[in-house]
Amino acid sequence: MNCNRLLAFNKTAPQFILALLILCPLSVSADNTWSYRQENDRLTNRSYSFALSPLPPRGLYDNIRLEVVCKDNTLQVAVDADSLIASQGSPFGFEYQIDKNPPVTLQMKTFKDNKRRGYTEDQAKRIVDDLLTGQSLFIRVNTMIRTVLSAAMPLENAAEPVKHVVADCGLSLSGNAPVEPAYSLNELEQELGKLPPEQQQQVLGKIKQILREMQISNPK
């Protein structure tokens, strides 16, 4: 049962309120997170996969979605808007910003059969690598009539569907994982103190051996 059918019931009934609270949020929440999907191309009848971003909040931004696509073993990043972007097969300016990092500006091109969807293949891998490093995404699309479309969306649930699409294309991700801070002497002492005396001596013996080898390889 969907929300529209529920509206046909008596709105004063407690059953209606309970059903609305339980059933309606389930359909809404599906649009508020990244998702992985597979579909068939109508022209080639070949399947392709894509990671679809959530819709931005209504009233605050334009109705734009971002897609990470694997089609014919080629990785694409596509933007889908309700508004006119450019003529079919025409280039347009696209800008994205991850968290508070400097914006990245590049060129996309609308599909040959669509004026509201654009894509890039050359910059797709770079965009994907950047998406997996942040918590939020802000994008701008420069249209042919010199207006700017904008949208913001979270990235907290993007990793799994995006990585799935990248794997479908047989690609590997760049090593953009955050660098762990250096292991300090205080941390070593704290961890060492948690070990039994026998294991402490084993660790200290290995450290002593490493230091000796370093001294031999790097004499003063």
Side-chain angles (χ1 to χ4, degrees):
M1 182 178 294
N2 57 36
C3 295
N4 291 331
R5 291 183 178 180
L6 286 174
L7 291 175
F9 289 92
N10 185 352
K11 296 185 179 182
T12 61
Q15 292 86 351
F16 167 80
I17 299 175
L18 180 60
L20 189 63
L21 290 174
I22 294 176
L23 295 179
C24 294
L26 294 177
S27 61
V28 173
S29 61
D31 289 332
N32 290 337
T33 187
W34 286 75
S35 60
Y36 173 84
R37 303 184 185 183
Q38 287 184 324
E39 292 185 0
N40 285 330
D41 190 314
R42 295 180 180 178
L43 298 178
T44 64
N45 201 29
R46 295 178 181 176
S47 64
Y48 65 96
S49 61
F50 60 100
L52 183 65
S53 76
L55 285 169
R58 292 183 179 181
L60 297 178
Y61 300 102
D62 296 291
N63 198 21
I64 303 176
R65 270 183 160 170
L66 198 71
E67 299 175 12
V68 178
V69 187
C70 179
K71 194 171 187 178
D72 295 330
N73 292 323
T74 301
L75 188 67
Q76 295 179 347
V77 171
V79 59
D80 191 343
D82 283 351
S83 302
L84 182 68
I85 297 177
S87 300
Q88 296 171 195
S90 299
F92 61 92
F94 177 81
E95 181 181 289
Y96 70 94
Q97 184 176 11
I98 307 295
D99 297 335
K100 295 183 179 180
N101 296 326
V104 178
T105 302
L106 51 90
Q107 288 284 312
M108 281 193 174
K109 184 171 65 175
T110 51
F111 289 91
K112 294 181 180 180
D113 60 348
N114 202 308
K115 299 179 181 180
R116 291 176 172 82
R117 280 175 53 83
Y119 73 100
T120 178
E121 293 178 354
D122 296 338
Q123 300 293 327
K125 186 60 166 54
R126 175 187 180 179
I127 297 174
V128 167
D129 288 336
D130 288 345
L131 291 178
L132 297 176
T133 65
Q135 298 296 318
S136 62
L137 170 68
F138 184 77
I139 61 178
R140 296 182 182 88
V141 176
N142 298 314
T143 72
M144 63 184 299
I145 57 176
R146 297 183 180 181
T147 59
V148 177
L149 307 176
S150 63
M153 55 199 68
L155 293 173
E156 57 184 355
N157 297 315
E160 183 176 348
V162 169
K163 289 180 179 179
H164 199 161
V165 173
V166 173
D168 290 344
C169 273
L171 300 175
S172 59
L173 296 167
S174 299
N176 285 337
V179 178
E180 293 185 2
Y183 198 55
S184 67
L185 182 59
N186 288 336
E187 289 176 317
L188 174 61
E189 291 177 348
Q190 291 176 3
E191 296 296 331
L192 191 63
K194 298 177 182 179
L195 299 176
E198 293 182 359
Q199 292 184 351
Q200 290 183 17
Q201 291 301 317
Q202 293 176 2
V203 173
L204 291 174
K206 292 180 180 180
I207 294 176
K208 185 176 182 180
Q209 182 179 354
I210 293 173
L211 292 175
R212 284 179 177 176
E213 292 175 352
M214 294 179 65
Q215 290 173 353
I216 294 174
S217 61
N218 298 286
K220 293 183 179 179

